[in-house]
Amino acid sequence: MRRLVCALGAAVGIVVAGAAGPAGAAPGDDGFTIEDERITESSGLAASRAHPGVYWTHNDSDDGPYVYAVDGRTGRTVATVTLTGVTPRDVEAVSVGPDGSVYVGDIGDNFGGRWPEVWIYRFAEPERLTDRAVEVTRHTVRYADGPRDAESLAVHPVTGRVYIVSKDKEDGGLYAGPEELSASAANTFTRVADVGLWATDAAFSPDGTRLAVRGYFGGVMYAWEDGGPREAGRLTVPVQRQGESVTFAPDGRTLLYGTEGERGAVQPMRLDGEQLPENARDERERPDRTGNGNETGNGSENGDGSAADGGPSAADGEGDAGEQGSGTRLALVLAAGAALFLALRRAARRRRG
C-alpha cells in the first residue's frame, strides 16, 4: 500500500510539474512579475537577443525617454536606458531587430489619427546591462493612407523590415515600412493586409515564420509566407487588467503576454499545432504537405482552405478557447488525485476492519 501511495504521489507531482511549465524552460519563459515600481504602464515587451532571459519594456505616454531591461528570472530591472535627443509623445511598442538594435515605437495617437507623423527610435542593444544614456536614431513614419492610431510594432528577425499594426476593429491594418528605414527623410508605411482587431501589440517568432497580434481579450496568429500574412488561428489570451504587450519566448514555443498596472504580470501561453513556428516543431507537429487536406492546426481553416469565422475579442468574439494542453494536464492532475484519495480511503477501511 505504501508503495502504491508513493507511486501515485509521484505521478501527481510529475503531472503538476508539467502543468506549471515546460521542463528546461529558459528564464522568463514560464512568466514573471515586473517588480520595478516605476513601471506602472508597461505597454510593450520584447525578448533581448544579446541577453537571454532579459526582456525590454517601457511605460506608456508621459513617462519620459526611458526603456527598461527586466530580468525574467526575478522580474527586477537590471538596466534603465535613457534615450537622449528625443521627447517621446506616446510610446507604445518595442522590438529587437536582427541588426542588434532595439526599436522603440512612439506611434500612439489617442486622437485616432490627429498626428500627421509618428516616430521610431533605434539604438544598439548594449553589450553590458547598466544604467546609461544612449543617443538614438529617429525615424519619421507616415502612412500612405493617412494618420493612424497604433500600438503594435514588430521587426522581422530575418529581413529587418519594420511593420506596424493600426488599432481599429473595423479598419485596422498591417503596414510595411520600406526595406530600410531612412533617418533623413520620412518613411512611408503601406498597408499590406487587413487586421480587424483592437490591436495592442505584435511580435514575430524568432525564426520569422509566425506573426502574433494581440488585443485586450484575444488575438490572431499569422503564418508568414512569401513576405505576407496568412491567418493561422485565433490566439488564447489570458485575462489581464489591461493587456498591452506580447512577445515570443526565445524558443518560439511560448507567447508571453504583459499588462499595464503596478507589479504587472507577464503570463505565458504555450503554442501548438499550426501556430507553432516552423523551427519550434518536431516531426509529429509538422503539417501534412501531401495535399490531402489533413493539415493540422487550431481550427483556423475549413476543409476547403478558407478561413474560419470568428471575431477577435471576448466582447467582440476575441479568443474562444483555452489551451488544450493545459486542460489535459488539469484532467490528469484531478484523475491522479482522485485515485490517490480512493486508495487511502480503502486502506483506512481495511485498518478499521
Side-chain angles (χ1 to χ4, degrees), residues 42-48 54-59 66-70 81 83 90-97 101-107 119-123 125 150-155 162-164 200-204 244-248:
S42 176
S43 190
L45 192 67
S48 169
V54 169
Y55 294 84
W56 293 100
T57 190
H58 55 82
N59 281 315
Y66 308 114
V67 182
Y68 306 93
V70 177
V81 174
L83 312 182
D90 191 356
V91 176
E92 292 287 357
V94 62
S95 186
V96 180
S101 293
V102 178
Y103 293 73
V104 181
D106 190 358
I107 56 176
W119 305 286
I120 295 170
Y121 311 125
R122 178 171 56 87
F123 66 92
E125 192 168 17
E151 298 186 4
S152 311
L153 177 148
V155 182
V162 181
Y163 295 84
I164 294 174
T200 60
D201 203 8
F204 279 106
E244 290 281 348
S245 60
V246 68
T247 192
F248 278 84

Short mmCIF file of all heavy atoms in Angstrom, two decimals, residues 42-48 54-59 66-70 81 83 90-97 101-107 119-123 125 150-155 162-164 200-204 244-248:
data_model
loop_
_atom_site.label_atom_id
_atom_site.label_comp_id
_atom_site.label_asym_id
_atom_site.label_seq_id
_atom_site.Cartn_x
_atom_site.Cartn_y
_atom_site.Cartn_z
N SER A 42 3.35 49.28 -18.36
CA SER A 42 4.12 48.51 -19.33
C SER A 42 3.29 48.31 -20.60
O SER A 42 2.24 47.68 -20.57
CB SER A 42 4.53 47.17 -18.75
OG SER A 42 5.19 46.39 -19.72
N SER A 43 3.78 48.88 -21.70
CA SER A 43 2.97 48.90 -22.91
C SER A 43 3.59 48.12 -24.06
O SER A 43 2.94 47.92 -25.08
CB SER A 43 2.74 50.35 -23.35
OG SER A 43 1.80 50.44 -24.37
N GLY A 44 4.84 47.69 -23.92
CA GLY A 44 5.49 46.89 -24.94
C GLY A 44 6.43 45.90 -24.29
O GLY A 44 6.87 46.10 -23.15
N LEU A 45 6.75 44.83 -25.01
CA LEU A 45 7.60 43.78 -24.44
C LEU A 45 8.37 43.13 -25.58
O LEU A 45 7.80 42.83 -26.64
CB LEU A 45 6.73 42.74 -23.74
CG LEU A 45 7.41 41.71 -22.84
CD1 LEU A 45 8.01 42.38 -21.60
CD2 LEU A 45 6.42 40.64 -22.41
N ALA A 46 9.67 42.93 -25.38
CA ALA A 46 10.49 42.28 -26.41
C ALA A 46 11.61 41.51 -25.75
O ALA A 46 12.30 42.02 -24.86
CB ALA A 46 11.06 43.32 -27.38
N ALA A 47 11.81 40.27 -26.19
CA ALA A 47 12.90 39.45 -25.66
C ALA A 47 14.23 39.96 -26.21
O ALA A 47 14.37 40.22 -27.41
CB ALA A 47 12.69 37.99 -26.06
N SER A 48 15.20 40.10 -25.33
CA SER A 48 16.53 40.54 -25.73
C SER A 48 17.20 39.47 -26.59
O SER A 48 17.05 38.28 -26.35
CB SER A 48 17.38 40.83 -24.49
OG SER A 48 18.74 41.01 -24.84
N VAL A 54 16.36 38.18 -20.57
CA VAL A 54 16.07 39.59 -20.30
C VAL A 54 15.03 40.09 -21.30
O VAL A 54 15.05 39.71 -22.48
CB VAL A 54 17.35 40.44 -20.38
CG1 VAL A 54 17.03 41.93 -20.35
CG2 VAL A 54 18.28 40.08 -19.23
N TYR A 55 14.12 40.95 -20.81
CA TYR A 55 13.05 41.48 -21.65
C TYR A 55 13.03 43.00 -21.55
O TYR A 55 13.13 43.56 -20.47
CB TYR A 55 11.70 40.89 -21.21
CG TYR A 55 11.61 39.41 -21.47
CD1 TYR A 55 12.14 38.49 -20.55
CD2 TYR A 55 11.07 38.91 -22.65
CE1 TYR A 55 12.10 37.13 -20.81
CE2 TYR A 55 11.03 37.55 -22.91
CZ TYR A 55 11.54 36.67 -21.99
OH TYR A 55 11.52 35.32 -22.25
N TRP A 56 12.89 43.64 -22.71
CA TRP A 56 12.80 45.09 -22.77
C TRP A 56 11.34 45.53 -22.65
O TRP A 56 10.45 44.90 -23.22
CB TRP A 56 13.36 45.62 -24.09
CG TRP A 56 14.83 45.42 -24.25
CD1 TRP A 56 15.47 44.45 -24.96
CD2 TRP A 56 15.87 46.23 -23.67
NE1 TRP A 56 16.84 44.58 -24.85
CE2 TRP A 56 17.12 45.67 -24.07
CE3 TRP A 56 15.87 47.35 -22.84
CZ2 TRP A 56 18.34 46.20 -23.67
CZ3 TRP A 56 17.08 47.89 -22.45
CH2 TRP A 56 18.30 47.33 -22.86
N THR A 57 11.10 46.58 -21.87
CA THR A 57 9.76 47.13 -21.75
C THR A 57 9.87 48.64 -21.51
O THR A 57 10.95 49.19 -21.36
CB THR A 57 8.96 46.44 -20.62
OG1 THR A 57 7.58 46.86 -20.71
CG2 THR A 57 9.49 46.80 -19.24
N HIS A 58 8.73 49.30 -21.47
CA HIS A 58 8.67 50.75 -21.28
C HIS A 58 7.27 51.10 -20.81
O HIS A 58 6.32 50.30 -20.96
CB HIS A 58 8.97 51.46 -22.61
CG HIS A 58 8.06 51.01 -23.71
ND1 HIS A 58 6.79 51.50 -23.89
CD2 HIS A 58 8.23 50.05 -24.67
CE1 HIS A 58 6.21 50.88 -24.91
NE2 HIS A 58 7.07 49.98 -25.39
N ASN A 59 7.12 52.29 -20.29
CA ASN A 59 5.80 52.77 -19.92
C ASN A 59 5.10 53.39 -21.13
O ASN A 59 5.72 53.67 -22.16
CB ASN A 59 5.89 53.81 -18.80
CG ASN A 59 6.09 53.17 -17.44
OD1 ASN A 59 5.41 52.20 -17.09
ND2 ASN A 59 7.02 53.69 -16.66
N TYR A 66 12.51 56.62 -21.39
CA TYR A 66 13.14 55.52 -20.68
C TYR A 66 12.69 54.16 -21.23
O TYR A 66 11.51 53.95 -21.52
CB TYR A 66 12.83 55.58 -19.18
CG TYR A 66 13.12 56.93 -18.56
CD1 TYR A 66 12.10 57.72 -18.06
CD2 TYR A 66 14.43 57.41 -18.50
CE1 TYR A 66 12.36 58.96 -17.50
CE2 TYR A 66 14.71 58.65 -17.95
CZ TYR A 66 13.66 59.42 -17.46
OH TYR A 66 13.93 60.66 -16.92
N VAL A 67 13.67 53.26 -21.33
CA VAL A 67 13.40 51.87 -21.67
C VAL A 67 14.08 51.02 -20.60
O VAL A 67 15.21 51.32 -20.18
CB VAL A 67 13.94 51.52 -23.07
CG1 VAL A 67 13.61 50.07 -23.42
CG2 VAL A 67 13.37 52.46 -24.12
N TYR A 68 13.40 49.96 -20.17
CA TYR A 68 13.87 49.17 -19.04
C TYR A 68 14.19 47.73 -19.48
O TYR A 68 13.42 47.12 -20.23
CB TYR A 68 12.81 49.12 -17.93
CG TYR A 68 12.35 50.48 -17.48
CD1 TYR A 68 11.21 51.07 -18.05
CD2 TYR A 68 13.04 51.19 -16.51
CE1 TYR A 68 10.77 52.33 -17.65
CE2 TYR A 68 12.61 52.44 -16.09
CZ TYR A 68 11.47 53.01 -16.67
OH TYR A 68 11.06 54.26 -16.28
N ALA A 69 15.31 47.21 -18.98
CA ALA A 69 15.68 45.81 -19.19
C ALA A 69 15.31 45.05 -17.91
O ALA A 69 15.84 45.34 -16.83
CB ALA A 69 17.17 45.68 -19.47
N VAL A 70 14.41 44.07 -18.05
CA VAL A 70 13.88 43.34 -16.90
C VAL A 70 14.36 41.89 -16.96
O VAL A 70 14.26 41.23 -18.00
CB VAL A 70 12.34 43.40 -16.88
CG1 VAL A 70 11.79 42.57 -15.72
CG2 VAL A 70 11.86 44.84 -16.78
N VAL A 81 17.67 52.47 -19.64
CA VAL A 81 18.29 53.18 -20.76
C VAL A 81 17.51 54.47 -20.98
O VAL A 81 16.29 54.45 -21.17
CB VAL A 81 18.28 52.31 -22.03
CG1 VAL A 81 18.79 53.12 -23.23
CG2 VAL A 81 19.13 51.06 -21.83
N LEU A 83 16.86 57.57 -23.42
CA LEU A 83 17.00 57.96 -24.82
C LEU A 83 17.24 59.46 -24.89
O LEU A 83 16.40 60.26 -24.46
CB LEU A 83 15.75 57.58 -25.60
CG LEU A 83 15.20 56.16 -25.39
CD1 LEU A 83 13.98 55.93 -26.29
CD2 LEU A 83 16.27 55.12 -25.67
N ASP A 90 3.96 59.36 -27.26
CA ASP A 90 3.08 58.25 -26.86
C ASP A 90 3.76 56.94 -27.28
O ASP A 90 3.43 56.35 -28.30
CB ASP A 90 1.71 58.38 -27.51
CG ASP A 90 0.68 57.42 -26.93
OD1 ASP A 90 1.07 56.60 -26.07
OD2 ASP A 90 -0.49 57.48 -27.34
N VAL A 91 4.70 56.47 -26.46
CA VAL A 91 5.45 55.25 -26.75
C VAL A 91 4.57 54.04 -26.48
O VAL A 91 4.00 53.90 -25.40
CB VAL A 91 6.74 55.18 -25.91
CG1 VAL A 91 7.46 53.86 -26.15
CG2 VAL A 91 7.65 56.35 -26.25
N GLU A 92 4.45 53.15 -27.47
CA GLU A 92 3.51 52.04 -27.36
C GLU A 92 4.13 50.67 -27.62
O GLU A 92 3.49 49.67 -27.30
CB GLU A 92 2.35 52.24 -28.33
CG GLU A 92 1.44 53.41 -27.99
CD GLU A 92 0.54 53.14 -26.79
OE1 GLU A 92 0.60 52.02 -26.25
OE2 GLU A 92 -0.21 54.04 -26.41
N ALA A 93 5.32 50.59 -28.20
CA ALA A 93 5.81 49.27 -28.60
C ALA A 93 7.33 49.25 -28.63
O ALA A 93 7.99 50.29 -28.76
CB ALA A 93 5.26 48.91 -29.98
N VAL A 94 7.87 48.03 -28.50
CA VAL A 94 9.32 47.83 -28.58
C VAL A 94 9.58 46.50 -29.27
O VAL A 94 8.81 45.54 -29.12
CB VAL A 94 9.97 47.88 -27.18
CG1 VAL A 94 9.45 46.76 -26.28
CG2 VAL A 94 11.48 47.84 -27.26
N SER A 95 10.65 46.44 -30.07
CA SER A 95 11.01 45.22 -30.77
C SER A 95 12.53 45.22 -30.95
O SER A 95 13.16 46.28 -30.96
CB SER A 95 10.31 45.16 -32.14
OG SER A 95 10.53 43.92 -32.79
N VAL A 96 13.10 44.02 -31.08
CA VAL A 96 14.54 43.88 -31.28
C VAL A 96 14.77 43.31 -32.68
O VAL A 96 14.20 42.29 -33.04
CB VAL A 96 15.18 42.98 -30.22
CG1 VAL A 96 16.69 42.86 -30.46
CG2 VAL A 96 14.92 43.54 -28.82
N GLY A 97 15.61 43.98 -33.46
CA GLY A 97 15.84 43.58 -34.83
C GLY A 97 17.07 42.73 -35.01
O GLY A 97 17.91 42.60 -34.11
N SER A 101 19.68 46.01 -32.92
CA SER A 101 19.11 47.26 -32.43
C SER A 101 17.78 47.04 -31.74
O SER A 101 17.03 46.13 -32.09
CB SER A 101 18.91 48.25 -33.59
OG SER A 101 20.14 48.67 -34.14
N VAL A 102 17.50 47.92 -30.78
CA VAL A 102 16.20 47.97 -30.14
C VAL A 102 15.40 49.09 -30.82
O VAL A 102 15.88 50.21 -30.95
CB VAL A 102 16.32 48.26 -28.63
CG1 VAL A 102 14.94 48.35 -27.98
CG2 VAL A 102 17.15 47.17 -27.95
N TYR A 103 14.20 48.75 -31.28
CA TYR A 103 13.33 49.70 -31.96
C TYR A 103 12.20 50.08 -31.00
O TYR A 103 11.46 49.20 -30.53
CB TYR A 103 12.75 49.09 -33.22
CG TYR A 103 13.75 48.83 -34.32
CD1 TYR A 103 14.68 47.78 -34.21
CD2 TYR A 103 13.78 49.60 -35.46
CE1 TYR A 103 15.61 47.53 -35.22
CE2 TYR A 103 14.70 49.36 -36.48
CZ TYR A 103 15.61 48.32 -36.35
OH TYR A 103 16.52 48.08 -37.35
N VAL A 104 12.04 51.35 -30.73
CA VAL A 104 11.02 51.83 -29.81
C VAL A 104 9.99 52.63 -30.61
O VAL A 104 10.34 53.62 -31.28
CB VAL A 104 11.64 52.72 -28.70
CG1 VAL A 104 10.57 53.20 -27.74
CG2 VAL A 104 12.73 51.95 -27.96
N GLY A 105 8.74 52.21 -30.54
CA GLY A 105 7.69 52.81 -31.36
C GLY A 105 6.93 53.90 -30.64
O GLY A 105 6.10 53.62 -29.77
N ASP A 106 7.21 55.16 -30.99
CA ASP A 106 6.43 56.30 -30.48
C ASP A 106 5.31 56.54 -31.48
O ASP A 106 5.29 57.53 -32.22
CB ASP A 106 7.36 57.52 -30.37
CG ASP A 106 6.71 58.69 -29.63
OD1 ASP A 106 5.54 58.57 -29.24
OD2 ASP A 106 7.39 59.73 -29.47
N ILE A 107 4.36 55.60 -31.52
CA ILE A 107 3.40 55.51 -32.61
C ILE A 107 1.95 55.66 -32.16
O ILE A 107 1.03 55.54 -32.98
CB ILE A 107 3.56 54.16 -33.36
CG1 ILE A 107 3.42 52.98 -32.39
CG2 ILE A 107 4.92 54.12 -34.07
CD1 ILE A 107 3.48 51.61 -33.07
N TRP A 119 6.99 58.43 -34.79
CA TRP A 119 8.42 58.16 -34.85
C TRP A 119 8.79 56.77 -34.32
O TRP A 119 8.06 56.19 -33.50
CB TRP A 119 9.20 59.20 -34.04
CG TRP A 119 8.89 60.61 -34.46
CD1 TRP A 119 9.31 61.25 -35.60
CD2 TRP A 119 8.07 61.55 -33.75
NE1 TRP A 119 8.82 62.53 -35.64
CE2 TRP A 119 8.05 62.74 -34.53
CE3 TRP A 119 7.36 61.50 -32.56
CZ2 TRP A 119 7.35 63.87 -34.13
CZ3 TRP A 119 6.66 62.63 -32.16
CH2 TRP A 119 6.65 63.79 -32.95
N ILE A 120 9.90 56.29 -34.82
CA ILE A 120 10.55 55.10 -34.28
C ILE A 120 11.95 55.50 -33.86
O ILE A 120 12.67 56.15 -34.62
CB ILE A 120 10.63 53.98 -35.35
CG1 ILE A 120 9.22 53.50 -35.72
CG2 ILE A 120 11.45 52.79 -34.83
CD1 ILE A 120 9.20 52.58 -36.93
N TYR A 121 12.32 55.14 -32.64
CA TYR A 121 13.66 55.42 -32.13
C TYR A 121 14.45 54.12 -32.12
O TYR A 121 13.95 53.08 -31.68
CB TYR A 121 13.60 56.00 -30.72
CG TYR A 121 12.62 57.14 -30.57
CD1 TYR A 121 11.61 57.11 -29.60
CD2 TYR A 121 12.68 58.25 -31.42
CE1 TYR A 121 10.71 58.14 -29.46
CE2 TYR A 121 11.78 59.29 -31.28
CZ TYR A 121 10.78 59.23 -30.31
OH TYR A 121 9.88 60.27 -30.18
N ARG A 122 15.69 54.19 -32.57
CA ARG A 122 16.52 52.98 -32.66
C ARG A 122 17.85 53.20 -31.96
O ARG A 122 18.50 54.24 -32.13
CB ARG A 122 16.74 52.61 -34.13
CG ARG A 122 17.63 51.40 -34.36
CD ARG A 122 17.60 50.99 -35.84
NE ARG A 122 17.98 52.06 -36.74
CZ ARG A 122 19.22 52.34 -37.10
NH1 ARG A 122 20.23 51.61 -36.61
NH2 ARG A 122 19.47 53.33 -37.94
N PHE A 123 18.25 52.22 -31.16
CA PHE A 123 19.57 52.26 -30.52
C PHE A 123 20.13 50.84 -30.45
O PHE A 123 19.38 49.85 -30.43
CB PHE A 123 19.52 52.90 -29.13
CG PHE A 123 18.73 52.13 -28.10
CD1 PHE A 123 19.34 51.19 -27.27
CD2 PHE A 123 17.36 52.35 -27.94
CE1 PHE A 123 18.62 50.49 -26.31
CE2 PHE A 123 16.62 51.65 -27.00
CZ PHE A 123 17.26 50.73 -26.17
N GLU A 125 21.50 47.53 -28.98
CA GLU A 125 21.33 46.83 -27.71
C GLU A 125 22.69 46.78 -27.00
O GLU A 125 23.68 46.32 -27.58
CB GLU A 125 20.79 45.42 -27.94
CG GLU A 125 20.32 44.75 -26.66
CD GLU A 125 19.52 43.49 -26.93
OE1 GLU A 125 19.58 42.95 -28.05
OE2 GLU A 125 18.83 43.04 -26.01
N ALA A 150 -1.82 53.60 -33.50
CA ALA A 150 -1.22 52.27 -33.50
C ALA A 150 -0.49 52.03 -32.19
O ALA A 150 0.03 52.97 -31.56
CB ALA A 150 -0.25 52.11 -34.67
N GLU A 151 -0.47 50.78 -31.77
CA GLU A 151 0.26 50.38 -30.56
C GLU A 151 1.15 49.17 -30.80
O GLU A 151 1.74 48.66 -29.86
CB GLU A 151 -0.74 50.07 -29.43
CG GLU A 151 -1.58 51.26 -29.01
CD GLU A 151 -2.45 50.98 -27.80
OE1 GLU A 151 -2.35 49.86 -27.24
OE2 GLU A 151 -3.25 51.85 -27.43
N SER A 152 1.22 48.71 -32.05
CA SER A 152 1.91 47.45 -32.35
C SER A 152 3.00 47.67 -33.39
O SER A 152 2.73 48.17 -34.48
CB SER A 152 0.90 46.43 -32.89
OG SER A 152 -0.24 46.34 -32.06
N LEU A 153 4.21 47.29 -33.03
CA LEU A 153 5.36 47.39 -33.93
C LEU A 153 6.14 46.09 -33.83
O LEU A 153 6.38 45.59 -32.73
CB LEU A 153 6.23 48.59 -33.56
CG LEU A 153 7.52 48.82 -34.35
CD1 LEU A 153 7.80 50.33 -34.44
CD2 LEU A 153 8.72 48.13 -33.70
N ALA A 154 6.56 45.54 -34.98
CA ALA A 154 7.33 44.30 -34.98
C ALA A 154 8.37 44.36 -36.08
O ALA A 154 8.07 44.75 -37.22
CB ALA A 154 6.40 43.09 -35.20
N VAL A 155 9.59 43.98 -35.75
CA VAL A 155 10.69 43.96 -36.71
C VAL A 155 10.93 42.50 -37.11
O VAL A 155 11.11 41.64 -36.24
CB VAL A 155 11.97 44.56 -36.12
CG1 VAL A 155 13.09 44.56 -37.15
CG2 VAL A 155 11.72 45.97 -35.62
N VAL A 162 10.42 46.65 -40.86
CA VAL A 162 9.60 47.06 -39.73
C VAL A 162 8.13 47.10 -40.16
O VAL A 162 7.80 47.63 -41.24
CB VAL A 162 10.04 48.44 -39.21
CG1 VAL A 162 9.18 48.85 -38.01
CG2 VAL A 162 11.52 48.41 -38.82
N TYR A 163 7.27 46.57 -39.31
CA TYR A 163 5.83 46.54 -39.56
C TYR A 163 5.08 47.17 -38.40
O TYR A 163 5.51 47.05 -37.24
CB TYR A 163 5.34 45.10 -39.76
CG TYR A 163 5.91 44.43 -40.99
CD1 TYR A 163 7.16 43.82 -40.95
CD2 TYR A 163 5.21 44.42 -42.20
CE1 TYR A 163 7.70 43.22 -42.08
CE2 TYR A 163 5.74 43.82 -43.33
CZ TYR A 163 6.99 43.22 -43.27
OH TYR A 163 7.52 42.62 -44.38
N ILE A 164 3.97 47.83 -38.71
CA ILE A 164 3.10 48.44 -37.71
C ILE A 164 1.68 47.95 -37.95
O ILE A 164 1.25 47.82 -39.11
CB ILE A 164 3.15 49.99 -37.79
CG1 ILE A 164 4.55 50.49 -37.39
CG2 ILE A 164 2.09 50.62 -36.91
CD1 ILE A 164 4.74 51.99 -37.59
N THR A 200 -3.15 45.76 -29.65
CA THR A 200 -2.33 46.46 -28.66
C THR A 200 -0.86 46.10 -28.73
O THR A 200 -0.03 46.78 -28.13
CB THR A 200 -2.84 46.19 -27.23
OG1 THR A 200 -2.79 44.78 -26.96
CG2 THR A 200 -4.26 46.69 -27.05
N ASP A 201 -0.50 45.04 -29.46
CA ASP A 201 0.92 44.71 -29.66
C ASP A 201 1.03 43.59 -30.68
O ASP A 201 0.05 42.88 -30.97
CB ASP A 201 1.59 44.29 -28.35
CG ASP A 201 3.11 44.48 -28.39
OD1 ASP A 201 3.61 45.08 -29.38
OD2 ASP A 201 3.80 44.05 -27.47
N ALA A 202 2.24 43.43 -31.22
CA ALA A 202 2.51 42.38 -32.20
C ALA A 202 3.95 41.94 -32.06
O ALA A 202 4.80 42.70 -31.58
CB ALA A 202 2.23 42.87 -33.62
N ALA A 203 4.23 40.71 -32.48
CA ALA A 203 5.60 40.18 -32.40
C ALA A 203 5.79 39.08 -33.42
O ALA A 203 4.90 38.26 -33.65
CB ALA A 203 5.88 39.64 -31.00
N PHE A 204 6.98 39.06 -34.03
CA PHE A 204 7.38 37.95 -34.89
C PHE A 204 8.02 36.86 -34.04
O PHE A 204 8.67 37.14 -33.03
CB PHE A 204 8.39 38.41 -35.94
CG PHE A 204 7.79 39.10 -37.13
CD1 PHE A 204 7.89 40.47 -37.29
CD2 PHE A 204 7.12 38.35 -38.10
CE1 PHE A 204 7.33 41.10 -38.39
CE2 PHE A 204 6.56 38.97 -39.21
CZ PHE A 204 6.66 40.36 -39.35
N GLU A 244 -1.58 44.73 -22.81
CA GLU A 244 -0.95 45.69 -23.71
C GLU A 244 0.21 45.13 -24.53
O GLU A 244 0.63 45.78 -25.49
CB GLU A 244 -0.44 46.89 -22.90
CG GLU A 244 -1.54 47.78 -22.34
CD GLU A 244 -2.11 48.71 -23.39
OE1 GLU A 244 -1.52 48.83 -24.48
OE2 GLU A 244 -3.17 49.33 -23.13
N SER A 245 0.77 43.99 -24.17
CA SER A 245 2.01 43.60 -24.83
C SER A 245 2.06 42.10 -25.08
O SER A 245 1.37 41.31 -24.43
CB SER A 245 3.22 44.03 -23.99
OG SER A 245 3.18 43.43 -22.71
N VAL A 246 2.93 41.72 -26.04
CA VAL A 246 3.16 40.31 -26.32
C VAL A 246 4.55 40.16 -26.94
O VAL A 246 5.03 41.05 -27.65
CB VAL A 246 2.09 39.75 -27.29
CG1 VAL A 246 2.21 40.36 -28.68
CG2 VAL A 246 2.15 38.24 -27.37
N THR A 247 5.20 39.05 -26.65
CA THR A 247 6.45 38.69 -27.30
C THR A 247 6.59 37.18 -27.29
O THR A 247 5.95 36.49 -26.49
CB THR A 247 7.67 39.34 -26.61
OG1 THR A 247 8.83 39.19 -27.43
CG2 THR A 247 7.94 38.72 -25.24
N PHE A 248 7.38 36.65 -28.21
CA PHE A 248 7.70 35.23 -28.21
C PHE A 248 8.85 34.98 -27.25
O PHE A 248 9.79 35.78 -27.16
CB PHE A 248 8.14 34.78 -29.60
CG PHE A 248 7.01 34.48 -30.55
CD1 PHE A 248 6.41 35.50 -31.27
CD2 PHE A 248 6.56 33.18 -30.72
CE1 PHE A 248 5.39 35.23 -32.16
CE2 PHE A 248 5.53 32.90 -31.61
CZ PHE A 248 4.94 33.93 -32.33
#
